[in-house]
Amino acid sequence: MFETRVNPDPIVGNWYRRLDNYDEFVVVAIDEDSGNIEVQFFSGDVTEITPDEWEAFDLEVIAEPEDWSGALEPVDDSEESEPSSIQPARAEYEEEDMLRMEDEAERETRPTDEL
């Protein structure tokens, strides 16, 4: 006889593993109207699973992975798209330092009669 496996209920904050491909994910939200389950995989990808898909998977509850926080941190695209006001000032300062050091090196190598 076939054993019918019952999947654990989806609970926000719980981690699960698919037994067919070993994908690990955490439930991040459950839509009360549709019943769809929003999950975030360890890799950081987010997707929505229907209740029927949830039941079709072979799932087990797992312990929270040790180093999961990096994958779940939100990405702030605004930081990457906007240049920092600090960087240009620092770049100018470094350029000024380089020019000053070049001038000093040039003065040190110049014969004294030219001074």
Side-chain angles (χ1 to χ4, degrees), residues 7 10 30-31 34-37 49-57:
N7 277 333
I30 300 173
D31 185 300
S34 67
N36 289 346
I37 303 140
I49 299 173
T50 67
D52 290 338
E53 290 172 322
W54 182 270
E55 288 307 316
F57 295 147

Side-chain angles (χ1 to χ4, degrees), residues 78-91:
S78 65
E79 288 181 17
E80 292 177 18
S81 62
E82 296 176 15
S84 170
S85 60
I86 296 172
Q87 288 178 346
R90 182 175 179 186

Side-chain angles (χ1 to χ4, degrees), residues 46-95:
V46 177
T47 193
E48 200 170 84
I49 299 173
T50 67
D52 290 338
E53 290 172 322
W54 182 270
E55 288 307 316
F57 295 147
D58 197 9
L59 300 172
E60 69 178 347
V61 177
I62 61 170
E64 178 181 287
E66 286 184 31
D67 186 23
W68 62 270
S69 61
L72 298 180
E73 290 180 11
V75 176
D76 185 2
D77 293 335
S78 65
E79 288 181 17
E80 292 177 18
S81 62
E82 296 176 15
S84 170
S85 60
I86 296 172
Q87 288 178 346
R90 182 175 179 186
E92 289 173 17
Y93 177 75
E94 290 173 357
E95 185 176 339

Side-chain angles (χ1 to χ4, degrees), residues 19-45:
L19 298 177
D20 61 338
N21 63 9
Y22 299 103
D23 279 343
E24 296 179 353
F25 59 88
V26 62
V27 173
V28 293
I30 300 173
D31 185 300
E32 291 180 21
D33 296 330
S34 67
N36 289 346
I37 303 140
E38 186 174 336
V39 301
Q40 186 164 15
F41 292 93
F42 184 80
S43 65
D45 295 337

